[in-house]
Amino acid sequence: MYPELLDVGTVGQEKRVPFLEYYLRERGSVDHIDNMKTMASPRLMKSHLPVQLFPTQAFTKKSKIIYVGRNPKDNAVSYYYFYKSLAGIGYYKGSWGTFLQMYLNDHVVWGGWSHHCLGWWKHNQEANFLYLKYEDVKKDERGTVKKIASFLGREVTEKTVDRIVKYCSFDNMKTNPAVNRENEPDLDCSVSPFIRKGVIGDWKNHFTVAQNEQIEQYYKERLGNTDLQFEW
C-alpha cells in the first residue's frame, strides 16, 4: 500500500519518517513539515521534542504516539558521541567529563533527560500512547514488534515479524545507507558513526567510580519518588 515505506534499503529514513523539528531549507533541504503535508494517511513522523514543546494537536486529535526512553547512563554516553559528530552542535570538542556535567545540569539540546522522560511518562496511561524502554526492546525484539502492531491496530504474521526484526536489527541498520546517515553532510561519521553500538551497558567503559556515583544520585533525586524506573 505504501511502497516508499517498505523500500527500507533505498528510500532514506528522513523521507519515509520526517523529523518534525528538523528544518534546513536555508541550506537547500526540504522543510520536513512541508513533506508531512503531502504524505498520505497514515503518516509517520519522529521527534526529539520534550512533551511541553510538542504540538498539542497530537493529543487533542488522539494521534498514536510511541515514546522510547533509555537509561541515563547509556543515554549520556550515546549523546556524548552524537555531540562530537554533529555539525549543528559545533562538533563538540570538550571532554567526556565536561559533557557529563552539562548532561546532569540539563544544559544539552532537547533538554534534560529526567524532564524529558518524566514529561512523556505522564501520558503513559492514555489509550493512544505507548511508552517503550530501549532496554526492554533489546531484550525482546519480537515481542516489541507485536506490541507496537497491537497498539497500532495492525495484525502481523510471524513472517512479517521476522522481516521487521531483521530490518531493524542493529547490524542491518548499521550497514543500511537509508538509515545509517553515512552520507549526511551535517554528521561526521568518521568521528562517531550515527549507528554506533546500540548495546546496554556501554556506560561501564566511560564512567569513573565517582561519575557513576554522581549519576546514580541524580537518578535517585529525579526519579526516586516516581513509578518510572530504568535498568542498566
Side-chain angles (χ1 to χ4, degrees), residues 121 125 133 223 225-229:
W121 179 249
Q125 299 302 318
K133 298 175 185 176
L223 269 69
N225 296 320
T226 74
D227 57 354
L228 175 61
Q229 298 297 314

Side-chain angles (χ1 to χ4, degrees), residues 82-194:
F82 187 61
Y83 252 62
K84 287 168 64 70
S85 64
L86 185 64
I89 307 177
Y91 296 127
Y92 177 73
K93 300 297 193 300
S95 68
W96 154 246
T98 299
F99 176 81
L100 180 60
Q101 297 312 306
M102 292 165 51
Y103 184 90
L104 295 175
N105 289 313
D106 303 333
H107 294 162
V108 289
V109 177
W110 286 295
W113 176 87
S114 65
H115 300 301
H116 208 292
C117 289
L118 284 171
W120 283 100
W121 179 249
K122 293 178 181 178
H123 295 276
N124 185 47
Q125 299 302 318
E126 297 175 14
N128 64 312
F129 189 88
L130 177 62
Y131 199 108
L132 298 176
K133 298 175 185 176
Y134 182 80
E135 295 74 25
D136 294 336
V137 174
K138 290 289 292 185
K139 290 177 183 177
D140 185 8
E141 295 175 348
R142 292 183 62 82
T144 299
V145 170
K146 293 179 180 180
K147 180 184 291 187
I148 293 173
S150 176
F151 172 69
L152 297 176
R154 297 299 181 99
E155 294 185 7
V156 289
T157 64
E158 291 298 322
K159 184 176 181 180
T160 298
V161 173
D162 288 340
R163 281 191 68 197
I164 294 173
V165 170
K166 174 185 175 182
Y167 280 121
C168 293
S169 70
F170 179 84
D171 290 341
N172 186 287
M173 290 196 298
K174 192 173 181 66
T175 58
N176 185 347
V179 177
N180 62 26
R181 299 178 68 178
E182 61 185 4
N183 298 314
E184 170 64 53
D186 293 318
L187 277 173
D188 187 349
C189 291
S190 66
V191 172
S192 177
F194 182 66

Side-chain angles (χ1 to χ4, degrees), residues 16-110:
R16 290 182 287 113
V17 188
F19 195 170
L20 180 62
E21 65 265 31
Y22 198 46
Y23 183 84
L24 291 175
R25 177 177 286 172
E26 69 275 13
R27 280 186 271 171
S29 294
V30 177
D31 177 8
H32 283 218
I33 293 180
D34 284 347
N35 273 350
M36 293 177 205
K37 291 177 180 178
T38 64
M39 294 174 70
S41 180
R43 297 175 295 178
L44 297 175
M45 63 186 72
K46 62 184 176 184
S47 172
H48 290 320
L49 289 174
V51 68
Q52 68 271 21
L53 297 180
F54 200 74
T56 57
Q57 295 93 327
F59 299 99
T60 58
K61 294 181 179 297
K62 302 300 181 183
S63 300
K64 294 279 188 175
I65 300 174
I66 300 175
Y67 182 87
V68 182
R70 191 177 187 182
N71 81 76
K73 295 183 182 182
D74 284 327
N75 179 262
V77 171
S78 178
Y79 209 6
Y80 166 64
Y81 284 101
F82 187 61
Y83 252 62
K84 287 168 64 70
S85 64
L86 185 64
I89 307 177
Y91 296 127
Y92 177 73
K93 300 297 193 300
S95 68
W96 154 246
T98 299
F99 176 81
L100 180 60
Q101 297 312 306
M102 292 165 51
Y103 184 90
L104 295 175
N105 289 313
D106 303 333
H107 294 162
V108 289
V109 177
W110 286 295

